[in-house]
Amino acid sequence: MDFLETCVVLLMAYIVLKYLGTLVTPKLDLVIGGYCHPKFKKVEELIRKKVISGKEKGGAFAVYHRGEVLIDMWAGYADEEAKRPWTRDTMTVTFSTTKSIAAITIAKMVESGWLDYSNLVSDYWPEFGCNGKENITVEMLLSHQAGLVWLNGEKTTLRDIRDYPAEFEKLLERATPEWQPGTKRGYHTVTYGYFVDTLARKADPKHRNISTIFKEEIQDPYDIDFYIGLPKELSYRMARGHFFTIAELLISSLAVPRKFILFAKMMFSPSSMLGKSIKTMDFSNTELNDPETRSIGLSSFIGCGSARSLGKLYSYIANGGTCKGKQLFPPNLNERLTKPVTSGYDECIATENTYGLGFMFRDNPQGNLVFGHPGLGGQVVYADPTNQISLAYVTNYNSIFGFWDDARFLDLEKTFYECFREYQTS
Ligand SMILES: *[C@@H]1O[C@H](CO)[C@@H](O)[C@H](O)[C@H]1NC(C)=O
Ligand SMILES: *[C@@H]1O[C@H](CO)[C@@H](O)[C@H](O)[C@H]1NC(C)=O
């Protein structure tokens, strides 16, 4: 009871403070900008309504159809305190959507013949092949089947990755899987990037890191304004993040039981698979407002970009690998990316999940199997190959909804598809 009472008191205090806050905060000018195809004006109206009602305080939404922009809109403030509006080039931390950007980078390496999905990780990284990890394939690692959700209790920091790469690598090599690799699946919340990024560096003929491989093989040649680890000199383009600490997540989720259970597990149950996966890194999301922190490339969650950049990159994989005459992937490789690899109970998130080669799959409310990645706070990117659509939503006002379930995004998605049905028949 004590715990529940504390939660209720905290919730009430939180609501009162929020309410008082709105009374003393001066009203800012309404910000909404960008392009919206005339047949999709209902989406623009929805965004306007949300900004006026305060439900959208900072974010961007982009949709491409056959590689053409249908919607590229933004609204609200990149930094409310500084009265800096969201603009065309505003970027934000896109959290776990970055996992799929690493997946696309890996696919590019597969195309180049540097990697093969069915090969063992230890073919590229021999020291990895010990302690039960001998038979882990590249595909298992990408589809969260490797069982490496944590590092057996060893703590890591973000700085370790950049400043002590040799020691960090040894830590990864010592890890033992939580289950027989390939027999179960469970979200590798933090460790996905640890292992995938290291594998990429080992397999790359020039041993570049994931940030550099992405930059040289995809970002530059395809003009994608996205960064795995943001160069500090670009920090002026970043929206200030409104992040939750885990304690704040817990308090804010009191009214949503399934979220509350999830966050309670993160905080109070270090022995649960989810608790283990989170506590592998000594980190608080609030640190992501530090340019130094953001500059360290880690594909688990440190990617920075706009909705447009995500939508543009995904327009290739939504269209068979080629978009507007430019090929990102040959058809057979692209086809592989659109296929789920494993489906069923997720040991970490404790729900059913479907994973592909670094992507998550979902039946969207319109009944299409889409694939891409959600991210903490409400971020989303996906490809809908049935309709040749790619779509992304990003926000700096992070919510408790990080699994394609943020109402801001769901409303946009619903209105978009309503317009799209009319657009197709006209
Ligand atoms: C790996 O596969 C080989 C051959 O199938 C098998 O003998 C060995 O026990 C496996 N190792 C592990 C750690 O699962
Ligand atoms: C990745 O490589 C680039 C180029 O060598 C380097 O500047 C950057 O610091 C590296 N990032 C990490 C996290 O090591």
Side-chain angles (χ1 to χ4, degrees):
M1 270 322 271
D2 264 355
F3 171 64
L4 261 185
E5 276 169 22
T6 311
C7 286
V8 171
V9 169
L10 284 172
L11 176 68
M12 288 172 62
Y14 176 76
I15 292 169
V16 169
L17 284 173
K18 271 241 141 150
Y19 175 71
L20 286 178
T22 60
L23 291 183
V24 296
T25 315
K27 274 256 173 288
L28 292 169
D29 292 341
L30 189 95
V31 175
I32 173 166
Y35 169 76
C36 187
H37 186 289
K39 290 257 160 43
F40 293 81
K41 284 295 172 193
K42 276 190 194 149
V43 175
E44 182 170 343
E45 282 161 32
L46 176 69
I47 295 173
R48 188 176 303 278
K49 251 191 351 217
K50 286 201 178 249
V51 184
I52 292 169
S53 69
K55 285 190 174 129
E56 182 57 84
K57 289 162 73 74
F61 182 57
V63 186
Y64 286 73
H65 178 231
R66 297 182 178 150
E68 299 292 342
V69 180
L70 288 181
I71 299 169
D72 177 15
M73 295 211 64
W74 53 88
Y77 281 80
D79 187 340
E80 209 177 326
E81 248 174 35
K83 297 190 182 176
R84 179 161 61 93
W86 196 291
T87 63
R88 184 177 191 278
D89 289 328
T90 299
M91 293 191 283
T92 191
V93 179
T94 63
F95 286 99
S96 290
T97 62
T98 316
K99 291 184 170 87
S100 72
I101 307 304
I104 292 172
T105 310
I106 293 284
K108 202 70 190 151
M109 298 179 74
V110 169
E111 190 203 350
S112 300
W114 302 333
L115 261 174
D116 194 311
Y117 290 119
S118 49
N119 282 353
L120 296 174
V121 173
S122 61
D123 290 345
Y124 309 97
W125 179 6
E127 299 81 1
F128 176 91
C130 62
N131 295 348
K133 305 193 295 307
E134 293 85 346
N135 295 340
I136 295 176
T137 62
V138 174
E139 177 174 287
M140 283 179 207
L141 190 59
L142 286 166
S143 56
H144 299 260
Q145 295 187 87
L148 299 168
V149 291
W150 74 328
L151 303 174
N152 313 103
E154 305 248 30
K155 293 276 187 202
T156 53
T157 70
L158 196 52
R159 298 279 196 286
D160 293 340
I161 300 170
R162 187 192 55 193
D163 301 339
Y164 306 98
E167 289 83 347
F168 180 69
E169 232 173 86
K170 292 258 170 347
L171 213 61
L172 302 183
E173 288 158 8
R174 279 203 297 273
T176 58
E178 282 289 293
W179 59 78
Q180 164 106 38
T183 61
K184 293 178 181 180
R185 69 212 65 72
Y187 191 51
H188 290 43
T189 320
V190 169
T191 52
Y192 173 95
Y194 284 8
F195 289 102
V196 170
D197 298 359
T198 307
L199 169 65
R201 184 161 42 78
K202 298 278 180 185
D204 182 58
K206 291 183 244 163
H207 301 299
R208 298 167 293 176
N209 60 32
I210 191 83
S211 313
T212 309
I213 303 171
F214 174 73
K215 179 179 173 4
E216 294 180 357
E217 305 296 327
I218 295 174
Q219 179 190 316
D220 290 347
Y222 293 90
D223 190 24
I224 305 295
D225 189 22
F226 189 94
Y227 305 82
I228 303 177
L230 187 73
K232 276 179 270 185
E233 63 272 20
L234 293 179
S235 274
Y236 71 98
R237 288 180 48 198
M238 284 297 288
R240 182 165 189 81
H242 296 261
F243 305 114
F244 286 114
T245 61
I246 290 191
E248 286 166 339
L249 274 175
L250 193 67
I251 294 166
S252 305
S253 67
L254 273 170
V256 191
R258 74 197 150 85
K259 293 287 168 188
F260 184 76
I261 293 167
L262 198 74
F263 299 133
K265 254 192 202 167
M266 279 187 195
M267 198 164 167
F268 298 113
S269 178
S271 62
S272 71
M273 207 69 89
L274 183 63
K276 284 176 174 176
S277 88
I278 297 284
K279 297 206 161 139
T280 302
M281 189 190 270
D282 184 11
F283 188 73
S284 163
N285 291 326
T286 49
E287 294 170 41
L288 287 167
N289 275 324
D290 176 10
E292 185 72 34
T293 302
R294 283 190 310 239
S295 75
I296 299 172
L298 174 65
S299 76
S300 311
F301 62 96
I302 308 188
C304 299
S306 57
R308 180 176 51 252
S309 65
L310 288 170
K312 184 175 176 184
L313 178 55
Y314 265 71
S315 65
Y316 288 94
I317 54 178
N319 288 277
T322 297
C323 208
K324 296 171 83 176
K326 196 161 173 165
Q327 179 175 294
L328 178 65
F329 297 128
N332 56 344
L333 175 58
N334 200 80
E335 182 69 15
R336 259 191 108 169
L337 303 183
T338 67
K339 299 272 184 272
V341 169
T342 178
S343 199
Y345 183 75
D346 186 306
E347 298 291 325
C348 216
I349 313 291
T351 52
E352 300 282 310
N353 262 331
T354 300
Y355 292 108
L357 294 165
F359 300 97
M360 286 178 88
F361 287 71
R362 157 179 181 258
D363 286 311
N364 75 0
Q366 291 66 38
N368 307 313
L369 180 66
V370 303
F371 71 105
H373 224 289
L376 191 86
Q379 334 294 330
V380 170
V381 60
Y382 72 61
D384 167 1
T386 316
N387 292 305
Q388 295 169 292
I389 282 169
S390 59
L391 168 166
Y393 172 76
V394 300
T395 177
N396 57 335
Y397 282 84
N398 292 267
S399 73
I400 61 169
F401 299 98
F403 287 101
W404 333 91
D405 50 359
D406 190 299
R408 290 169 298 180
F409 158 71
L410 290 172
D411 290 349
L412 287 167
E413 183 188 41
K414 180 164 170 283
T415 308
F416 164 74
Y417 273 97
E418 280 165 13
C419 298
F420 184 68
R421 219 163 299 129
E422 284 172 31
Y423 172 72
Q424 274 187 312
T425 53
S426 66

